[in-house]
Amino acid sequence: MSYKQFLMVISLTLFASGCAVSDQEVTLGTSEEDTLIIGIESEADVLDPHAGNGWVTMRINHQMYETLVAQDLTKSSEAAPIPELIPGLAESWEVSEDGKTYTFALREQVQFHDGTPFNADAVQFNIKRLTDPSFDYYYQTGASRSFRTWLYFESSEVIDDSTIKIHLSEPFREFPRLLALSNSLQIVSPTAIETYGNEGLANHPTGTGPFRFEERNRGENINIIKNDRYWGDPAQLDRVIFRPLSDPASRALAIRNDEVDIIAVPPADSLANFEEDGWNVVSGKPPHVWYMNFNFDNPIMQDKRVRQAMNYAIDREGIAEELLRGSVTPAYTMQTRGHAGYDSSRRWYEYNPEKAKSLLKEAGYENGFETTIKTSIDGSGQLVPVDIMEWIQRDLASVGIEATIDSSEWISYFAGFSNGMEEQVGMNQMSSGRTSPFWLAMVAHSSFSAPGGFNSGKYINGEVDQVLNAASFEENHVESLRLWAEAEQLIMEDAAFIPVLNDTAPYVVHPRVQNFIIPSEEWYDLSIVSIDQ
């Protein structure tokens, strides 16, 4: 009996025996085809959109919570390489001539899943939660996770029930794009926070989205169900079940056994067989980069020649084609896809081990050195981090660098990543990216240095900061792209990071699943997905 058949039998049994079951349980038992089960690559973090980390978590939260400004995720990467910004919970927005004030016209007649009305006061509550330490419901964790969006925030002003203004200290042109991202300003129910507290929201997720929370059993499943009172087009599915299956082989077996409908990150060497056997294998071009941070507290890594040598020492093509069988592409820059400034022709530090040895000799490390590299063992977008790291370990050994791999599971790993590295650690690893050139500032600007920021290696370069600021505030689109490119060049010539791979986000999808689209983003829209009965 498959997992889906098991769920149906349980529900039908409860229904027939007259047990006190909820409406949602009856729906599952009477319409198996309306339940979609996704095998995800790790356990999710907290279901609070202001605090939850990792793509796995964001893909779940995105179905329940909404933003003022949204991205159109109904188009594939090929159809829309840059996701279009569209109205979300704001029907429209205007920016003042000086670029510092945004006025949002909010949708009316929208309710949160708990019945609380959505209005300007609810938006104000959410903004204060993330920006105002004097607010009763200020949330330090949420503020630290989303502060990239609020870096230039000055104040917010409720005009009336359906209008709110946000004032910035600088003309931050990427502000609307950042508002559209997960982990920025997905609007949560003020009533839910007042009832359960900041930490309690994660167990009672309450947004306005097309799906609402049903239940969570850690390590087993997270269930969301259709929001029948949704303001927009209703979801096609009645229920979605996310099942964490951290082992790639287990995910592959689960879909072949009809226990799930979709699996994320299938084993790279299984993709051809899945296609030959009639499964749909879909992928895209999300704004993803798998990269390594140098620890600038480590004396060896402070030498630019060492950083450049390690960049030259890594065979990215080999990792992409031999280890991951073409399911990724080599990354030669820290900028990510999904915005107008991305230039795929820029290739810094192509594989050249002889040049790496020469640079190490110049730096005084002709006989190499020992170091430690940290990585997770799993996590969304992390691909197969230990396998990749072992490849890199061999590449580094070939030029004389003996690297010890220090690995841990994703949730604890990310907490350590945010705190920065101990001095004896040489590097750590991460995979991330955004559909905004501002991503470059998130990893390289001193304002984002650890602890708390995404600049885990504490890379600080005053000239880079200045150019990143100029790019962020430049109102002319063409000039801003030139400045982003200048910042990229400074960062890459400084070898501040090692970009390694760009993921193509392959999924294996059962043929009965319809309209599962991989957009140019790290998360997707399940409201448009249906199951062919």
Side-chain angles (χ1 to χ4, degrees):
M1 179 184 294
S2 73
Y3 185 76
K4 296 189 76 170
Q5 290 168 328
F6 172 76
L7 289 175
M8 182 178 70
V9 168
I10 291 297
S11 291
L12 286 173
T13 301
L14 290 171
F15 183 70
S17 63
C19 292
V21 296
S22 68
D23 291 344
Q24 293 78 29
E25 286 169 326
V26 173
T27 300
L28 172 62
T30 55
S31 182
E32 181 197 14
E33 291 79 10
D34 291 330
T35 296
L36 179 78
I37 306 178
I38 304 178
I40 56 179
E41 60 268 49
S42 72
E43 177 60 279
D45 196 4
V46 294
L47 300 181
D48 179 335
H50 302 159
N53 270 304
W55 304 133
V56 162
T57 309
M58 295 181 195
R59 288 168 194 149
I60 299 170
N61 281 336
H62 181 75
Q63 318 308 323
M64 298 187 286
Y65 298 100
E66 296 181 293
T67 48
L68 298 181
V69 180
Q71 295 183 107
D72 183 358
L73 303 184
T74 65
K75 297 182 177 64
S76 68
S77 298
E78 289 72 25
I82 304 172
E84 180 187 0
L85 292 182
I86 58 174
L89 287 174
E91 288 186 314
S92 63
W93 59 93
E94 295 178 351
V95 59
S96 61
E97 285 189 9
D98 65 2
K100 295 183 180 179
T101 297
Y102 285 80
T103 303
F104 295 92
L106 307 180
R107 290 188 189 279
E108 299 180 357
Q109 307 300 318
V110 176
Q111 287 189 344
F112 289 95
H113 300 155
D114 60 3
T116 302
F118 165 77
N119 52 32
D121 285 334
V123 177
Q124 178 85 315
F125 185 104
N126 277 259
I127 293 173
K128 285 187 173 183
R129 187 188 190 218
L130 301 175
T131 63
D132 183 358
S134 68
F135 184 50
D136 286 347
Y137 297 99
Y138 176 69
Y139 189 29
Q140 178 62 52
T141 302
S144 66
R145 299 278 162 79
S146 63
F147 86 100
R148 63 178 181 273
T149 303
W150 307 105
L151 203 56
Y152 307 108
F153 172 75
E154 208 165 62
S155 64
S156 55
E157 179 184 359
V158 173
I159 305 302
D160 55 41
D161 268 2
S162 58
T163 311
I164 190 167
K165 289 179 181 286
I166 296 178
H167 304 284
L168 306 178
S169 61
E170 302 287 348
F172 183 29
R173 62 176 294 116
E174 290 300 311
F175 184 60
R177 176 70 65 177
L178 291 186
L179 284 181
L181 302 181
S182 196
N183 267 111
S184 273
L185 185 62
Q186 286 166 296
I187 308 296
V188 307
S189 164
T191 303
I193 294 177
E194 290 166 350
T195 303
Y196 304 110
N198 274 326
E199 299 294 341
L201 178 71
N203 294 323
H204 304 274
T206 313
T208 60
F211 290 94
R212 58 189 177 91
F213 178 73
E214 182 183 43
E215 67 171 1
R216 176 176 191 171
N217 298 295
R218 287 192 176 273
E220 297 181 10
N221 63 288
I222 295 173
N223 296 7
I224 58 175
I225 56 175
K226 181 178 181 177
N227 173 16
D228 291 325
R229 295 185 296 185
Y230 186 55
W231 59 268
D233 293 335
Q236 302 295 303
L237 298 163
D238 290 320
R239 176 179 278 101
V240 180
I241 300 173
F242 297 91
R243 288 185 61 197
L245 298 167
S246 59
D247 177 36
S250 296
R251 292 194 293 276
L253 186 62
I255 195 166
R256 286 192 177 278
N257 287 343
D258 202 22
E259 296 170 355
V260 300
D261 300 293
I262 297 173
I263 60 169
V265 196
D269 57 6
S270 73
L271 293 175
N273 287 336
F274 271 114
E275 287 186 310
E276 288 172 3
D277 293 343
W279 302 86
N280 293 328
V281 178
V282 297
S283 61
K285 294 181 178 179
H288 172 279
V289 57
W290 196 106
Y291 67 97
M292 301 175 71
N293 290 282
F294 288 105
N295 180 11
F296 284 82
D297 284 341
N298 181 292
I300 296 175
M301 301 304 166
Q302 289 171 357
D303 192 316
K304 177 179 172 179
R305 294 164 297 186
V306 171
R307 302 195 300 271
Q308 291 177 326
M310 294 176 75
N311 264 282
Y312 281 121
I314 295 175
D315 179 10
R316 297 165 177 82
E317 301 279 348
I319 299 172
E321 295 302 321
E322 295 181 38
L323 180 63
L324 293 172
R325 307 298 177 92
S327 61
V328 297
T329 56
Y332 292 98
T333 176
M334 281 298 288
Q335 267 295 18
T336 54
R337 301 172 293 205
H339 62 80
Y342 176 70
D343 182 357
S344 61
S345 69
R346 302 305 301 262
R347 296 169 70 89
W348 279 276
Y349 306 108
E350 293 193 79
Y351 183 47
N352 191 335
E354 293 308 313
K355 194 164 186 175
K357 292 177 184 175
S358 174
L359 282 164
L360 287 173
K361 181 178 180 180
E362 190 180 318
Y365 296 106
E366 185 174 4
N367 297 319
F369 58 85
E370 295 180 359
T371 191
T372 298
I373 300 177
K374 287 194 169 187
T375 185
S376 70
I377 60 172
D378 58 359
S380 50
Q382 291 287 78
L383 305 170
V384 283
V386 174
D387 292 349
I388 296 171
M389 200 58 78
E390 287 174 348
W391 182 293
I392 291 172
Q393 185 183 44
R394 290 193 295 272
D395 282 348
L396 293 177
S398 72
V399 299
I401 300 171
E402 298 298 327
T404 299
I405 298 172
D406 179 359
S407 62
S408 55
E409 60 82 26
W410 168 251
I411 299 297
S412 60
Y413 175 75
F414 188 83
F417 177 89
S418 297
N419 289 331
M421 290 173 265
E422 303 87 355
E423 185 177 312
Q424 71 273 17
V425 176
M427 305 188 77
N428 65 15
Q429 175 272 323
M430 183 48 62
S431 60
S432 191
R434 294 292 186 279
T435 52
S436 164
F438 190 69
W439 155 253
L440 209 55
M442 288 171 55
V443 293
H445 197 290
S446 61
S447 297
F448 289 89
S449 292
F454 226 72
N455 183 354
S456 181
K458 303 178 188 175
Y459 171 64
I460 297 175
N461 181 320
E463 183 182 6
V464 168
D465 279 359
Q466 287 184 5
V467 178
L468 290 171
N469 287 341
S472 299
F473 307 149
E474 175 56 52
E475 296 182 49
N476 180 281
H477 178 62
V478 174
E479 177 61 9
S480 75
L481 294 181
R482 187 195 69 75
L483 288 165
W484 286 118
E486 181 181 341
E488 179 183 7
Q489 180 161 344
L490 288 171
I491 292 165
M492 294 309 301
E493 287 179 349
D494 209 9
F497 308 89
I498 303 180
V500 180
L501 301 167
N502 296 132
D503 190 16
T504 62
Y507 287 82
V508 177
V509 181
H510 194 288
R512 62 175 168 255
V513 177
Q514 305 297 308
N515 216 28
F516 179 70
I517 293 171
I518 307 300
S520 292
E521 190 47 275
E522 291 286 3
W523 45 89
Y524 38 66
D525 183 354
L526 292 178
S527 71
I528 60 175
V529 174
S530 61
I531 293 181
D532 189 352
Q533 300 184 23

